[in-house]
Amino acid sequence: MSRTVVIDPITRLEGHGKIAVFLNEQGNVDRAYFQVPELRGFEKFAVGRPAEDMPQITSRICGVCPTAHHMASTKALDALYQVEPPSAAKKIRELVYATFFVEDHALHFYFLGGPDFVVGPQAPKGERNILGVLGKVGLEVGKEVIGLRREMRELITRAAGKVIHPVFGLPGGIAKPLTQEDVEAFRKGAAHAVEFAKFSLKVFADVVLANQAYVDWITSDIYTHKTYYMGLVDEQKRVNFYDGKLRVVDPAGREAALFPVSEYLDYIGEHVEPWSYIKFCYLKKVGWKGFVDGTDSGVYSVAPLARLNAAEGMATPAAQEEYERFYATLGGKPVHFTLANHWARLIELLYAAECMAELAADPEILDPHVRTLPSAIPAEGVGVVEAPRGTLIHHYRTDERGIITAANLIVATQNNAARIAMSVDKAAKGLIKNGEVSDGLLNMVEMAFRAYDPCHGCATHALPGSMPLIVRLYNPQGQLLREIRRDG
Amino acid sequence: MAEKPVLVLALGNDLIADDGLGPAAAALLAPHLSPQVELKTSAAAGMELLEELVGFEAAIIIDAVKTGAAPAGTIFRYRLEDLSPVAAPSAHWAGLPEAQAVAQHLGLPFPREVVIFAVEAQDLATIGHPLSPPVQQSLPVLVSQILEELAALTARSAVGTKAFSSGVTSMGRSPELAGN
């Protein structure tokens, strides 16, 4: 008898993810699918609008990482108008962007990843939440997270106008220079962020790495995939969130590609499956071979672990030390353990904080010349940044007046979609045997995709306390046999 | 305590079909709000809402939902305590009950009363579409229900305010003094 198990959120307010599990005649998993309902109509909505509106429009389609969309879009406009921003403008953009990373990564580790690791995968369900994390690390740390986040958000508001929807990026630069007072605030915030990142890495070492059971989870086969990895790198092939070339390494860690984002269509293909709205990105030169690991499969991954794997190191000293410790501890490059994303995220947190400090200390950041006026006739532009959740590409074509004729976005979760699907499939296979659905299934499957921090559309809200899930078991005729609910 | 004791927090994104419910309701409510009420709109989620809510005595939250259990345009009224207590986190952000729990644990002043008005949506995914007809049609009833709720909340929060501020009630303030 073949059956389908669907793990389906009953409202859209928290996560849009839906997991469908197809069982074979023996009641074992034939294939599990992770479905992401995407927002529809973006291309249509963009066509006919002035390109210079795009940094505002695209930041408004996402309530989670507006700064990433704003920045990718602004960079696409630089390319569209063939204009190079002045050095100070680039540095201020990068400073704002590093500040955004600090805020986002800090929140993810403590409030989202924390329940899996700080509290522990095996802890009772009632403790696997933010309050459990606070119980373990202390209320002071909770206040620190909230306080740090507020400070970072105030800094972004200072430089970028609005934190929810930044308004400072313009083709060829930014809207206003920084004042001495702004820079002082950034210096103070950066010092705070560096200290916080170092503390967080210590929490990770003390609570996670010192616990063999957690290390066994991280390195277990159920959460391992040997795929390609992609990320932005600077000229020395070190991790960069704001600019550089895209570098791809193969599952053995060898460089497979290094290209400017303007050539992305030569490297990144989009595969369509009948069961999902999402297009699965793959490496064109390797080819789509299905949802499989290995050098012959074009599946690749993005986000913190992938960025560390795709680079040769970190551009700041303390983060570089942590980078070396990471690979020494986990058995060399590349690391294929999906759950290592949480550790990699903290190393990036430290890098972002150090990056803030370096930029805020750079005298050039006070240069009032922050805009190069565009004069070229626009035609086509591609922009890229690393969003906290991975590589984000904006691509616009316009007429000679700068009115959009075509737009294409490749968002982080799309780059990661194939590997996320593989992780969910593997977790389901490990946890469903002979028709028996293990009690831990929902949690273990969720842990698999939470490590990637996937973005399920761009307007998630917050009403229920948790991601409500339904597991539905169907017979081959599509009749409902059984339903397991978790409403929060 | 906040200058204005009661918050109306309208959630949603007016670029995305029925997700625009919050902003649409906010626009209709704005001219009818008493000086004790602050109106905010936000497209954010989870812990971001913590920052919006802290400091108010009471709050009303407006949002679109997709429960699949009722026809589009159906209005739901919840109290925050009716929602699920703290459970496993979502895949992406913490939820409102978690934000409340964190605020309470950390000693932040969270509103004592939170009432949620939610409208069942038809389409929460199409960028650039307007509100669907059933959601659009729900607006006048939604707005009148919210105004009734606000009258009750404002009265109760004024009583609470009196206890804390030695007789100067927020009900007694003139609009000119209320600030923005």
Side-chain angles (χ1 to χ4, degrees):
Chain A
M1 184 190 71
S2 147
R3 299 181 303 180
T4 307
V5 179
V6 181
I7 304 174
D8 188 5
I10 55 168
T11 86
R12 59 108 215 181
L13 288 168
E14 274 286 308
H16 292 252
K18 172 175 166 183
I19 296 158
V21 185
F22 296 89
L23 302 184
N24 62 20
E25 299 298 320
Q26 289 73 43
N28 293 323
V29 177
D30 186 26
R31 179 76 229 181
Y33 296 102
F34 180 61
Q35 298 176 300
V36 182
E38 279 202 308
L39 290 174
R40 293 182 297 266
F42 174 75
E43 284 81 1
K44 197 173 152 205
F45 184 68
V47 167
R49 291 173 190 274
E52 66 247 44
D53 287 355
M54 295 307 276
Q56 270 66 55
I57 290 172
T58 55
S59 74
R60 285 183 61 207
I61 63 176
C62 177
V64 176
C65 43
T67 310
H69 278 293
H70 183 74
M71 208 63 87
S73 184
T74 301
K75 288 183 67 191
L77 293 189
D78 292 342
L80 179 71
Y81 287 98
Q82 302 146 58
V83 62
E84 187 72 16
S87 179
K90 279 192 197 168
K91 285 177 177 170
I92 294 167
R93 284 184 188 175
E94 198 173 352
L95 176 62
V96 167
Y97 204 54
T99 309
F100 162 63
F101 255 80
V102 168
E103 182 219 320
D104 199 277
H105 272 12
L107 190 74
H108 187 280
F109 176 70
Y110 285 98
F111 286 16
L112 294 174
D116 287 342
F117 280 98
V118 178
V119 184
Q122 304 278 284
K125 187 186 160 202
E127 290 170 22
R128 294 188 59 266
N129 54 47
I130 294 172
L131 300 186
V133 176
L134 295 181
K136 202 132 178 181
V137 299
L139 290 183
E140 286 311 309
V141 178
K143 285 183 185 163
E144 185 70 13
V145 177
I146 305 257
L148 178 86
R149 230 180 125 259
R150 174 174 301 159
E151 190 177 356
M152 296 304 116
R153 290 162 63 79
E154 281 167 6
L155 289 172
I156 294 172
T157 306
R158 206 177 241 280
K162 288 191 283 184
V163 68
I164 304 281
H165 304 121
V167 291
F168 80 133
L170 300 169
I174 58 171
K176 67 177 173 89
L178 292 182
T179 65
Q180 184 67 43
E181 196 193 333
D182 294 334
V183 172
E184 290 303 328
F186 271 103
R187 284 179 190 158
K188 195 163 152 273
H192 187 188
V194 168
E195 191 189 324
F196 183 83
K198 287 182 174 170
F199 169 80
S200 302
L201 278 154
K202 188 168 179 309
V203 168
F204 192 84
D206 293 348
V207 177
V208 181
L209 296 178
N211 185 329
Q212 191 54 44
Y214 292 2
V215 175
D216 291 345
W217 275 115
I218 293 174
T219 56
S220 72
D221 180 62
I222 208 170
Y223 293 120
T224 300
H225 280 292
K226 294 179 178 170
T227 63
Y228 285 78
Y229 298 95
M230 184 170 83
L232 267 182
V233 294
D234 68 13
E235 282 171 5
Q236 283 87 51
K237 299 185 180 175
R238 299 172 305 189
V239 170
N240 197 296
F241 299 146
Y242 171 75
D243 211 3
K245 286 185 177 171
L246 285 164
R247 184 169 191 243
V248 179
V249 298
D250 73 10
R254 293 169 300 215
E255 184 173 292
L258 183 67
F259 59 96
V261 71
S262 55
E263 295 169 13
Y264 82 100
L265 289 172
D266 295 337
Y267 291 88
I268 299 173
E270 295 182 77
H271 170 80
V272 178
E273 286 278 320
W275 48 268
S276 180
Y277 288 117
I278 208 163
K279 291 174 186 165
F280 294 89
C281 293
Y282 67 97
L283 298 168
K284 261 189 186 166
K285 294 185 177 177
V286 185
W288 176 260
K289 307 283 163 57
F291 295 92
V292 286
D293 289 31
T295 311
D296 296 334
S297 164
V299 172
Y300 67 95
S301 174
V302 297
L305 173 63
R307 281 191 285 255
L308 266 52
N309 280 337
E312 297 286 340
M314 309 302 285
T316 58
Q320 174 63 22
E321 265 180 50
E322 294 294 335
Y323 181 90
E324 287 164 17
R325 194 188 336 272
F326 178 83
Y327 286 106
T329 308
L330 294 176
K333 282 182 76 178
V335 162
H336 296 294
F337 311 127
T338 301
L339 298 183
N341 263 302
H342 295 285
W343 189 1
R345 195 170 282 117
L346 289 181
I347 296 168
E348 289 194 336
L349 170 68
L350 180 56
Y351 163 67
E354 286 188 294
C355 209
M356 279 178 75
E358 280 184 9
L359 288 162
D362 186 333
E364 198 186 23
I365 206 112
L366 279 163
D367 186 340
H369 177 53
V370 293
R371 179 104 200 262
T372 308
L373 285 176
S375 55
I377 292 169
E380 185 166 6
V382 187
V384 62
V385 291
E386 285 294 328
R389 292 149 194 90
T391 312
L392 171 65
I393 298 170
H394 280 218
H395 181 187
Y396 314 137
R397 283 201 187 97
T398 70
D399 66 14
E400 73 288 352
R401 296 167 304 155
I403 304 296
I404 303 266
T405 54
N408 187 35
L409 263 61
I410 293 185
V411 303
T413 299
Q414 220 180 322
N415 285 302
N416 258 342
R419 183 165 156 140
I420 294 174
M422 286 156 59
S423 291
V424 167
D425 180 56
K426 204 164 185 177
K429 282 181 173 144
L431 296 157
I432 299 177
K433 297 279 186 213
N434 303 319
E436 291 297 317
V437 179
S438 153
D439 285 346
L441 172 72
L442 301 183
N443 180 37
M444 303 306 280
V445 169
E446 270 191 83
M447 266 178 73
F449 66 78
R450 187 157 45 236
Y452 299 94
D453 193 14
C455 218
H456 300 148
C458 290
T460 51
H461 284 180
L463 206 46
S466 70
M467 182 167 158
L469 297 172
I470 299 180
V471 181
R472 289 199 183 111
L473 295 94
Y474 295 96
N475 68 13
Q477 289 73 45
Q479 293 160 322
L480 185 68
L481 293 176
R482 187 174 150 213
E483 185 176 275
I484 307 165
R485 297 177 69 104
R486 190 192 78 189
D487 291 341
Chain B
M1 203 202 68
E3 188 77 1
K4 301 182 178 195
V6 180
L7 171 69
V8 173
L9 181 56
L11 299 179
N13 186 336
D14 60 357
L15 295 183
I16 305 173
D18 288 338
D19 202 32
L21 169 84
L28 292 173
L29 281 166
H32 304 290
L33 297 179
S34 75
Q36 289 77 40
V37 179
E38 176 148 345
L39 177 65
K40 296 188 194 179
T41 56
S42 173
M47 298 309 293
E48 311 244 345
L49 301 183
L50 178 60
E51 285 169 22
E52 304 285 7
L53 288 159
V54 160
F56 290 93
E57 290 273 314
I60 287 178
I61 295 177
I62 310 167
D63 201 359
V65 288
K66 198 146 194 176
T67 66
T74 305
I75 300 170
F76 300 98
R77 177 187 174 282
Y78 309 105
R79 301 182 73 84
L80 184 54
E81 53 269 31
D82 299 336
L83 297 179
S84 315
V86 171
S90 76
H92 210 73
W93 288 97
L96 195 52
E98 284 181 300
Q100 181 194 31
V102 168
Q104 282 168 352
H105 263 66
L106 300 182
L108 304 173
F110 201 80
R112 287 180 301 195
E113 285 194 84
V114 178
V115 181
I116 295 146
F117 283 90
V119 175
E120 183 77 14
Q122 192 171 74
D123 177 4
L124 290 168
T126 311
I127 298 173
H129 273 209
L131 294 180
S132 68
V135 170
Q136 178 73 42
Q137 282 153 22
S138 76
L139 278 170
V141 178
L142 176 71
V143 166
S144 73
Q145 286 184 9
I146 290 171
L147 288 172
E148 267 174 48
E149 188 81 42
L150 272 174
L153 277 182
T154 309
R156 285 200 292 278
S157 76
V159 173
T161 306
K162 206 185 265 179
F164 282 99
S165 58
S166 62
V168 183
T169 72
S170 38
M171 289 298 280
R173 288 188 306 188
S174 70
E176 291 75 31
L177 294 174
N180 287 304

